[in-house]
Amino acid sequence: MEQAMKDKIEGMIKENRVFLFMKGTPEAPQCGFSAGVSNVLRSLGTQFGSFNVLSDPDIRQGIKDYANWPTIPQLYIDGEFIGGHDIVVEMAKTGDLQKKLGVPSK
């Protein structure tokens, strides 16, 4: 991965405590998995930044290389890669996501 791409991705991740690379936007997700992660975060009242990977093919591939993770969405909390849809949903069910975010479990 080129350093410029790595710097760009890290810059986005560091902009917000919680950051989601997704297909579409939180208001208009363009895949069910992206919608699912976005909805989980919203249901917990979590503020998060996001980037629509469909708007930039270089970022779309770059984040896969950066995280060594082949799918989108990709969630980061405090700069740490958390995972994709299935991991986020499972963490929300067990309360681990709420702990990571510092929000009360429901």
Side-chain angles (χ1 to χ4, degrees):
M1 167 179 287
E2 292 181 17
Q3 189 62 44
M5 178 58 66
K6 185 177 180 183
D7 292 346
K8 187 172 184 178
I9 290 169
E10 287 177 348
M12 285 190 268
I13 292 168
K14 291 175 183 174
E15 277 178 18
N16 296 273
R17 179 170 177 258
V18 181
F19 197 83
L20 179 62
F21 289 99
M22 64 183 294
K23 293 179 181 175
T25 64
E27 299 76 27
Q30 294 185 7
C31 95
F33 296 117
S34 291
V37 174
S38 179
N39 288 339
V40 166
L41 294 172
R42 286 175 157 185
S43 75
L44 297 174
T46 302
Q47 297 273 338
F48 63 98
S50 66
F51 182 82
N52 176 5
V53 300
L54 299 177
S55 71
D56 188 330
D58 292 335
I59 295 288
R60 183 177 183 172
Q61 183 57 48
I63 61 165
K64 293 176 184 181
D65 297 338
Y66 181 82
N68 195 25
W69 191 261
T71 59
I72 296 162
Q74 293 184 8
L75 179 65
Y76 289 80
I77 300 174
D78 294 324
E80 176 189 354
F81 176 62
I82 301 302
H85 175 269
D86 294 350
I87 291 170
V88 171
V89 169
E90 184 61 29
M91 286 179 72
K93 285 180 185 173
T94 64
D96 290 339
L97 184 64
Q98 293 85 330
K99 288 177 194 164
K100 195 81 141 150
L101 293 168
V103 298
S105 296
K106 291 186 178 182

